[in-house]
Amino acid sequence: MIILTGAAGFIGSCMAAKLNQEGFNDLILVDDFSREAQKANYQSKVYSELVPREELFSWMKGKESLVQMIIHLGARTDTSEQDERIFQKLNISYSQEIWHVCCEHGIPLIYASSAATYGDGSLGFEDSLPDPSVLKPLNPYGRSKNDFDIWALNQPKKPYFWVGLKFFNVYGPNEFHKGRMASVIFHAFNQIQRTDRLKLFRSHREDYADGEQKRDFVYVKDLTEVIHFFMHHRKDCGLYNLGTGQARTFYDLGDNVFKSLGKETVINFIDTPVDIRASYQYFTEANMSKLRSIGFERPFTSLEEGIADYVKNYLLTNQYM
């Protein structure tokens, strides 16, 4: 069996779909299943059991030898949340307990880290950093992810196979429930459908024109491919970036949403809210050489291809992956 945490969420439910596609049906889906808005993410998946997040460790007792792998994608991901206690409980302590179970019972572990660990990017986006404690994340969420990465690297006892994947700006199916935390593409689609125009943040730096701020936007289907690769690779432990390796502008993003809808591109610019200007990132781009060096050769989906697939096959039809 494979244990998948965060299974009711955006990336976790897409991973469950990928596992089903690859013939893995003995899945133990773990999450807080109390939110009705997330039910559609997992109700069509093939699985063996739903286990509430807080019951996982008691449920596992006596079954550890049956677990082939834990894919730990569950986390509190709200970048605006300021209560450090929530992140300590859900992103650090819970992950540490999973780590210890994997060590004790010889279970391989794949877990989600985040590009939020890189902060403003002034130190680059290098997953080969020998000491991630030099990084300065901009919010409690990013700090919690970096703190766990640092803790994991410093553990004298590690799972025989483990990787932490630093997700960059992920978009794709199954994020209907995320509200304001959904991807920019999701919000752009809905705004364009309502108004036939799109508002983007104006640049407040002289070295960037309006709309030329850049992010490494990565399609969720690429994430599932990389995780599937590591499920079989099972060597070269450590932290890995998971983006495309190519930063694209917000103007490109908006323009491609318009094109996917067959509409004329009309983009207006509004001031970036004062309270987030100091921490606003103008550029992110994953260095993907480490992942490539261990044999992952599959090309990443271009922004054009990803947006077209997402808009036409999921957003317009209200379909789930």
Side-chain angles (χ1 to χ4, degrees):
M1 71 176 68
I2 294 173
I3 292 176
L4 174 65
T5 73
F10 162 39
I11 298 172
S13 62
C14 289
M15 191 64 223
K18 172 64 175 177
L19 289 168
N20 283 171
Q21 290 167 11
E22 297 296 335
F24 296 97
N25 295 329
D26 187 7
L27 305 180
I28 307 303
L29 304 186
V30 180
D31 212 322
D32 174 0
F33 296 105
S34 64
R35 294 182 61 190
E36 187 66 25
Q38 291 179 281
K39 190 173 182 180
N41 279 357
Y42 60 87
Q43 64 182 359
S44 65
K45 307 299 186 288
V46 181
Y47 57 87
S48 297
E49 195 165 346
L50 299 179
V51 177
R53 179 179 61 211
E54 66 276 9
E55 297 177 16
L56 173 61
F57 302 109
S58 59
W59 179 91
M60 279 186 70
K61 287 183 179 177
K63 303 184 185 76
E64 295 92 349
S65 63
L66 303 176
V67 180
Q68 296 169 279
M69 174 169 286
I70 296 179
I71 302 173
H72 177 36
L73 304 181
R76 181 63 176 265
T77 59
D78 188 343
T79 56
S80 65
E81 174 63 65
Q82 296 300 310
D83 189 342
E84 303 267 3
R85 294 170 299 178
I86 293 174
F87 293 110
Q88 177 63 46
K89 177 182 177 181
L90 298 179
N91 293 6
I92 300 177
S93 298
Y94 193 84
S95 299
Q96 289 172 341
E97 194 161 356
I98 286 177
W99 178 279
H100 289 313
V101 168
C102 289
C103 287
E104 183 177 353
H105 298 282
I107 301 170
L109 171 65
I110 298 171
Y111 77 86
S113 181
S114 172
T117 57
Y118 291 120
D120 64 5
S122 59
L123 295 174
F125 302 93
E126 304 294 328
D127 50 9
S128 56
L129 266 180
D131 182 13
S133 64
V134 302
L135 297 175
K136 294 179 174 56
L138 300 175
N139 51 53
Y141 164 71
R143 285 195 294 275
S144 72
K145 287 296 189 179
N146 200 46
D147 286 348
F148 181 74
D149 288 344
I150 294 166
W151 180 89
L153 288 169
N154 288 322
Q155 288 307 292
K157 188 175 182 182
K158 297 178 172 64
Y160 80 87
F161 170 70
W162 70 276
V163 291
L165 300 174
K166 294 189 177 225
F167 298 160
F168 275 66
N169 287 74
V170 189
Y171 67 95
N174 298 17
E175 57 173 340
F176 292 106
H177 67 283
K178 287 179 66 69
R180 63 189 176 83
M181 294 305 297
S183 70
V184 180
I185 294 162
F186 178 85
H187 289 298
F189 167 83
N190 286 298
Q191 192 179 133
I192 293 166
Q193 288 290 75
R194 288 194 311 270
T195 67
D196 286 327
R197 62 184 61 240
L198 175 63
K199 294 178 180 179
L200 294 176
F201 286 152
R202 181 175 288 115
S203 172
H204 297 273
R205 283 176 47 171
E206 292 183 358
D207 52 339
Y208 282 87
D210 292 342
E212 295 300 306
Q213 305 97 316
K214 291 184 174 181
R215 293 283 193 281
D216 193 334
F217 300 104
V218 58
Y219 200 25
V220 70
K221 291 183 180 181
D222 289 335
L223 266 68
T224 66
E225 290 290 343
V226 171
I227 293 172
H228 183 248
F229 165 81
F230 275 115
M231 287 174 64
H232 297 281
H233 187 70
R234 299 202 185 191
K235 55 184 178 180
D236 302 304
C237 300
L239 301 176
Y240 289 85
N241 283 338
L242 216 177
T244 65
Q246 182 179 11
R248 298 293 300 272
T249 68
F250 279 95
Y251 187 92
D252 286 341
L253 181 155
D255 184 49
N256 276 286
V257 176
F258 278 106
K259 286 177 178 175
S260 295
L261 290 169
K263 295 176 182 283
E264 179 185 358
T265 298
V266 182
I267 296 177
N268 304 124
F269 296 98
I270 60 174
D271 285 344
T272 305
V274 174
D275 62 334
I276 67 169
R277 283 186 200 176
S279 61
Y280 185 80
Q281 291 177 300
Y282 277 71
F283 179 85
T284 68
E285 184 175 81
N287 182 336
M288 297 303 296
S289 58
K290 186 176 178 182
L291 181 64
R292 293 300 191 192
S293 73
I294 65 167
F296 185 79
E297 298 177 347
R298 183 182 181 278
F300 288 96
T301 306
S302 70
L303 188 64
E304 289 79 4
E305 294 169 329
I307 289 177
D309 183 54
Y310 184 24
V311 169
K312 294 176 182 179
N313 296 320
Y314 298 96
L315 291 177
L316 282 172
T317 58
N318 286 309
Q319 293 297 306
Y320 288 79
M321 183 173 164

